[in-house]
Amino acid sequence: MTFSQGSVPKPSRRTVVTAVGAAGLTAALAACGSSDDSGSTDSAESTAAPESSGASEAAGGGAGAAVLAKTSDIPVGGGKIFKDEKVVVTQPAEGRFKAFSSLCTHQQCPVTSVEGGTINCPCHNSKFSIEDGSVKQAPATQPLAAMEIEVTGDEIKLA
């Protein structure tokens, strides 16, 4: 089957501009969105709680949340990256634990190390503070997103 030049309708300028705008908006929202975002700007800091009897967990405290790590797994002044959960947990000071997204805010590369007081991205060498996720070295301009954790006894869970 053949078509003559005039038989295939051309999209109007309005249709093209609308489609391009919608595609750009979709890309921007996908890059900025996160299913882990609680909408809170509070820091995800948790201090180790005294040992519990375990009854609160059995009664629903921390229900459904798997243990991410033991507090002893997170070095003081350092941290540990959990690739599957896309989270990095740090311990900037003895007994003080923080959690952040493990995706660099520059181009969404996963961070790969926690050394020298910073969380490090290998893609373009951005560095973030283990204290608050703030940018310590560009090209990233936005801090790592804080994530909520619960520390009960010696267990760390995502909240």
Side-chain angles (χ1 to χ4, degrees), residues 102-157:
S102 65
L103 295 179
C104 179
T105 57
H106 176 239
Q107 289 189 347
Q108 303 302 305
C109 291
V111 298
T112 57
S113 68
V114 181
E115 297 171 348
T118 59
I119 302 164
N120 309 304
C121 179
C123 294
H124 301 100
N125 298 316
S126 291
K127 295 181 183 290
F128 303 89
S129 169
I130 64 170
E131 289 273 345
D132 58 10
S134 62
V135 176
K136 291 296 182 186
Q137 180 174 306
T141 59
Q142 298 295 315
L144 292 175
M147 298 182 73
E148 295 292 324
I149 54 173
E150 292 178 14
V151 180
T152 305
D154 66 347
E155 295 180 338
I156 301 172
K157 297 179 181 181

Side-chain angles (χ1 to χ4, degrees), residues 73-75 77-81 88-91 114 130:
D73 294 339
I74 313 300
K80 185 172 180 180
I81 299 165
V88 56
V89 177
T90 65
Q91 187 177 188
V114 181
I130 64 170

Side-chain angles (χ1 to χ4, degrees), residues 41-107:
T41 58
D42 294 339
S43 172
E45 179 176 342
S46 182
T47 304
E51 192 70 37
S52 70
S53 65
S56 65
E57 287 184 39
V67 174
L68 193 60
K70 299 284 188 187
T71 55
S72 59
D73 294 339
I74 313 300
V76 175
K80 185 172 180 180
I81 299 165
F82 299 90
K83 290 180 184 177
D84 292 342
E85 294 82 1
K86 295 184 179 157
V87 65
V88 56
V89 177
T90 65
Q91 187 177 188
E94 182 75 37
R96 211 173 53 138
F97 298 90
K98 301 267 201 155
F100 307 98
S101 167
S102 65
L103 295 179
C104 179
T105 57
H106 176 239
Q107 289 189 347

